[in-house]
Amino acid sequence: MRRRTTQQPKKEIFINTTISETRIAILEDGNLIDLFIELPENERSVGDIYLGRVVNVVRGMRAAFVDIGQGQDAFLHFSDIGDSLAEYGAYLDLETATSETPKNNRRPIPREGQEILVQIIKEPISSKGSRITTELSLAGRFFVLVPYSEMIGVSRKVSNAKEKRRLRDLARSWRPKGFGVIIRTVAESKDEDLLRADFENLIKKWRQIEKKLKTLRPPSLAHKDLAMASTVIRDLFTNDVTRVVIDDARQYKSISQYLKEVSPNLLPKLEMYKGKRPIFDTYGIEQEVEKSMSRKVWLKSGGHLIFDHTEALVAVDVNSGKFIGRAGHDENSLRINLEAAREIARQLRLRDIGGIIVIDFIDMIDPKNKRTLYNEFQKELKRDRAQANISPISEFGLIEMTRERIRPSLLHSYSEMCHTCEGTGRIMSKASVLTKVERTIKRIKAISDEKNLKLEVHPEVADMLTNGLRSHIRRMMWKYWLRIDVIGKDSFKFDEIHCISRRTNKEIVLN
């Protein structure tokens, strides 16, 4: 009797770079499961290290607020303060640590006005500043270096005991005093020289930070982590990824060089996209991205989900919609709820929704069906890299949950507050409109031989496109070898775009 094996899903990474943004899509068996977006004015900041100054210590909140040079003061909870703070002259909080308190429960806390070295662990969201920690780390391909520590840890996913011992022994022999090390899963079975090069590179980076700190005055950036595309390659491009496809030559060259140094075995999986159509159109990703911005998401059964964002939480409503089942009410409700649970788990990842989430499933009476739904939803959430905690289904059919929030949700990345409705609705952000213009031009270039276009847009968009010597429209004309005349139309919506052929004087209609 043959043993049944579970087939690994086909995992692919697609990187789309335009003048206005970088987008990274991760697909499993052709389904979009993760989307990362980085805008020039809102670069990824998780992992950045700052020399800051404590501006306020609020003992009632067990937190301090630190000026790191951003718009809002960063938030430092006492639980995110490590023993390394003592290096900077901290003292113990006498209200929570006494001579009877166990030593491992005592926490050093900062003083107001104190200089402090911190690292961002969560990006600023809305009016909240970044969340920071004093427990610093530097991530490499195979190791995470932890200054002011003596610990050596190995990823739990490295299951072979002999390999774990080998990796731990290597790290112990290389580790200078005062440094801890976490050995990552991708280090398994790697050559010693390759591992050592990554380890020594991390030590070198830290020495550069130490040298830089001698000349810095707070608030100052002490270390900038890699850009988003590079961190995704560093952290997520593992052996189970089938391929990585990139549409930008400079990005391709940079990632190729990085892989040559740290994982040459992965180079054959790297591809340069040379198609005329936008890469996300070719692989059916664009439609999924647009769907993830929609308030309503349709299910295959005919039911649908509604996502509503409020200041305090995100509410998700499950509706049966067009579904007509032949079974009883509970069986029909369970079928829609199970499909909804899988799609909600996927959408939470895609939209990067964090904080408190309340889901209103369709009511069911049978406790067995409720348990089935709860277990299925919990199983789907385990596929998510962000931590999530869920409550049992309430008598009203609600599941309350929290999901780890690291960066702003997709909604906040792709849109901005509407000045007309003061927050009751949202419009596409300026950067996203500029990207939409470029995608429209690229699509026209792919389906026609037009050389001369009239581009009709909202006057504000026209101003953004044409402003400056190195304007967006100039760069697009050089990039796509087109002449484009931009015309502002007062009657247009902010994201409305019309392309007119100069040759035929007719609008070019795109499917």
Side-chain angles (χ1 to χ4, degrees), residues 302-314:
H304 63 264
L305 311 173
I306 299 290
F307 285 80
D308 281 319
H309 292 251
T310 72
E311 191 70 25
L313 53 83
V314 174

PDB file of all heavy atoms in Angstrom, residues 302-314:
ATOM      1  N   GLY A 302     -21.751  32.157  -4.541  1.00  0.00           N
ATOM      2  CA  GLY A 302     -22.757  33.197  -4.746  1.00  0.00           C
ATOM      3  C   GLY A 302     -22.932  34.091  -3.538  1.00  0.00           C
ATOM      4  O   GLY A 302     -23.568  35.140  -3.609  1.00  0.00           O
ATOM      5  N   GLY A 303     -22.363  33.668  -2.391  1.00  0.00           N
ATOM      6  CA  GLY A 303     -22.353  34.526  -1.206  1.00  0.00           C
ATOM      7  C   GLY A 303     -21.327  35.634  -1.362  1.00  0.00           C
ATOM      8  O   GLY A 303     -20.578  35.679  -2.343  1.00  0.00           O
ATOM      9  N   HIS A 304     -21.271  36.547  -0.401  1.00  0.00           N
ATOM     10  CA  HIS A 304     -20.256  37.600  -0.479  1.00  0.00           C
ATOM     11  C   HIS A 304     -19.876  38.098   0.913  1.00  0.00           C
ATOM     12  O   HIS A 304     -20.585  37.864   1.897  1.00  0.00           O
ATOM     13  CB  HIS A 304     -20.726  38.770  -1.360  1.00  0.00           C
ATOM     14  CG  HIS A 304     -21.936  39.484  -0.847  1.00  0.00           C
ATOM     15  ND1 HIS A 304     -23.210  39.193  -1.280  1.00  0.00           N
ATOM     16  CD2 HIS A 304     -22.075  40.481   0.070  1.00  0.00           C
ATOM     17  CE1 HIS A 304     -24.081  39.968  -0.678  1.00  0.00           C
ATOM     18  NE2 HIS A 304     -23.424  40.769   0.160  1.00  0.00           N
ATOM     19  N   LEU A 305     -18.712  38.765   0.962  1.00  0.00           N
ATOM     20  CA  LEU A 305     -18.192  39.356   2.199  1.00  0.00           C
ATOM     21  C   LEU A 305     -18.220  40.870   2.068  1.00  0.00           C
ATOM     22  O   LEU A 305     -17.995  41.402   0.978  1.00  0.00           O
ATOM     23  CB  LEU A 305     -16.745  38.907   2.456  1.00  0.00           C
ATOM     24  CG  LEU A 305     -16.442  37.416   2.359  1.00  0.00           C
ATOM     25  CD1 LEU A 305     -14.936  37.190   2.464  1.00  0.00           C
ATOM     26  CD2 LEU A 305     -17.171  36.648   3.448  1.00  0.00           C
ATOM     27  N   ILE A 306     -18.451  41.561   3.179  1.00  0.00           N
ATOM     28  CA  ILE A 306     -18.378  43.018   3.214  1.00  0.00           C
ATOM     29  C   ILE A 306     -17.344  43.409   4.262  1.00  0.00           C
ATOM     30  O   ILE A 306     -17.427  42.976   5.419  1.00  0.00           O
ATOM     31  CB  ILE A 306     -19.738  43.662   3.573  1.00  0.00           C
ATOM     32  CG1 ILE A 306     -20.805  43.306   2.533  1.00  0.00           C
ATOM     33  CG2 ILE A 306     -19.599  45.172   3.711  1.00  0.00           C
ATOM     34  CD1 ILE A 306     -20.616  43.965   1.181  1.00  0.00           C
ATOM     35  N   PHE A 307     -16.343  44.213   3.856  1.00  0.00           N
ATOM     36  CA  PHE A 307     -15.298  44.690   4.774  1.00  0.00           C
ATOM     37  C   PHE A 307     -15.544  46.161   5.083  1.00  0.00           C
ATOM     38  O   PHE A 307     -15.588  46.988   4.172  1.00  0.00           O
ATOM     39  CB  PHE A 307     -13.918  44.531   4.143  1.00  0.00           C
ATOM     40  CG  PHE A 307     -13.416  43.113   4.106  1.00  0.00           C
ATOM     41  CD1 PHE A 307     -13.858  42.233   3.128  1.00  0.00           C
ATOM     42  CD2 PHE A 307     -12.509  42.659   5.046  1.00  0.00           C
ATOM     43  CE1 PHE A 307     -13.420  40.929   3.095  1.00  0.00           C
ATOM     44  CE2 PHE A 307     -12.053  41.351   5.020  1.00  0.00           C
ATOM     45  CZ  PHE A 307     -12.508  40.477   4.039  1.00  0.00           C
ATOM     46  N   ASP A 308     -15.704  46.491   6.360  1.00  0.00           N
ATOM     47  CA  ASP A 308     -15.880  47.878   6.786  1.00  0.00           C
ATOM     48  C   ASP A 308     -14.811  48.247   7.804  1.00  0.00           C
ATOM     49  O   ASP A 308     -14.678  47.576   8.841  1.00  0.00           O
ATOM     50  CB  ASP A 308     -17.271  48.091   7.400  1.00  0.00           C
ATOM     51  CG  ASP A 308     -18.350  48.231   6.340  1.00  0.00           C
ATOM     52  OD1 ASP A 308     -18.073  48.903   5.325  1.00  0.00           O
ATOM     53  OD2 ASP A 308     -19.449  47.677   6.514  1.00  0.00           O
ATOM     54  N   HIS A 309     -14.069  49.327   7.498  1.00  0.00           N
ATOM     55  CA  HIS A 309     -12.997  49.793   8.389  1.00  0.00           C
ATOM     56  C   HIS A 309     -13.516  50.934   9.259  1.00  0.00           C
ATOM     57  O   HIS A 309     -14.118  51.885   8.764  1.00  0.00           O
ATOM     58  CB  HIS A 309     -11.802  50.301   7.571  1.00  0.00           C
ATOM     59  CG  HIS A 309     -11.091  49.214   6.835  1.00  0.00           C
ATOM     60  ND1 HIS A 309      -9.831  48.772   7.182  1.00  0.00           N
ATOM     61  CD2 HIS A 309     -11.460  48.462   5.758  1.00  0.00           C
ATOM     62  CE1 HIS A 309      -9.463  47.799   6.360  1.00  0.00           C
ATOM     63  NE2 HIS A 309     -10.429  47.605   5.487  1.00  0.00           N
ATOM     64  N   THR A 310     -13.282  50.832  10.561  1.00  0.00           N
ATOM     65  CA  THR A 310     -13.583  51.934  11.472  1.00  0.00           C
ATOM     66  C   THR A 310     -12.300  52.283  12.218  1.00  0.00           C
ATOM     67  O   THR A 310     -11.282  51.601  12.084  1.00  0.00           O
ATOM     68  CB  THR A 310     -14.681  51.553  12.490  1.00  0.00           C
ATOM     69  OG1 THR A 310     -14.126  50.627  13.445  1.00  0.00           O
ATOM     70  CG2 THR A 310     -15.879  50.923  11.812  1.00  0.00           C
ATOM     71  N   GLU A 311     -12.337  53.340  13.021  1.00  0.00           N
ATOM     72  CA  GLU A 311     -11.154  53.744  13.787  1.00  0.00           C
ATOM     73  C   GLU A 311     -10.753  52.661  14.781  1.00  0.00           C
ATOM     74  O   GLU A 311      -9.571  52.421  15.017  1.00  0.00           O
ATOM     75  CB  GLU A 311     -11.456  55.050  14.541  1.00  0.00           C
ATOM     76  CG  GLU A 311     -10.230  55.709  15.163  1.00  0.00           C
ATOM     77  CD  GLU A 311      -9.270  56.291  14.139  1.00  0.00           C
ATOM     78  OE1 GLU A 311      -9.711  56.615  13.021  1.00  0.00           O
ATOM     79  OE2 GLU A 311      -8.080  56.402  14.464  1.00  0.00           O
ATOM     80  N   ALA A 312     -11.762  51.977  15.374  1.00  0.00           N
ATOM     81  CA  ALA A 312     -11.478  51.020  16.448  1.00  0.00           C
ATOM     82  C   ALA A 312     -11.230  49.600  15.948  1.00  0.00           C
ATOM     83  O   ALA A 312     -10.433  48.866  16.525  1.00  0.00           O
ATOM     84  CB  ALA A 312     -12.640  51.005  17.442  1.00  0.00           C
ATOM     85  N   LEU A 313     -11.910  49.201  14.864  1.00  0.00           N
ATOM     86  CA  LEU A 313     -11.836  47.803  14.438  1.00  0.00           C
ATOM     87  C   LEU A 313     -12.246  47.663  12.975  1.00  0.00           C
ATOM     88  O   LEU A 313     -12.702  48.614  12.344  1.00  0.00           O
ATOM     89  CB  LEU A 313     -12.736  46.921  15.321  1.00  0.00           C
ATOM     90  CG  LEU A 313     -14.205  47.332  15.495  1.00  0.00           C
ATOM     91  CD1 LEU A 313     -15.082  46.867  14.334  1.00  0.00           C
ATOM     92  CD2 LEU A 313     -14.761  46.778  16.796  1.00  0.00           C
ATOM     93  N   VAL A 314     -12.099  46.448  12.470  1.00  0.00           N
ATOM     94  CA  VAL A 314     -12.583  46.112  11.123  1.00  0.00           C
ATOM     95  C   VAL A 314     -13.710  45.102  11.282  1.00  0.00           C
ATOM     96  O   VAL A 314     -13.563  44.099  11.994  1.00  0.00           O
ATOM     97  CB  VAL A 314     -11.458  45.527  10.254  1.00  0.00           C
ATOM     98  CG1 VAL A 314     -12.011  45.035   8.915  1.00  0.00           C
ATOM     99  CG2 VAL A 314     -10.366  46.563  10.025  1.00  0.00           C
TER     100      VAL A 314
END
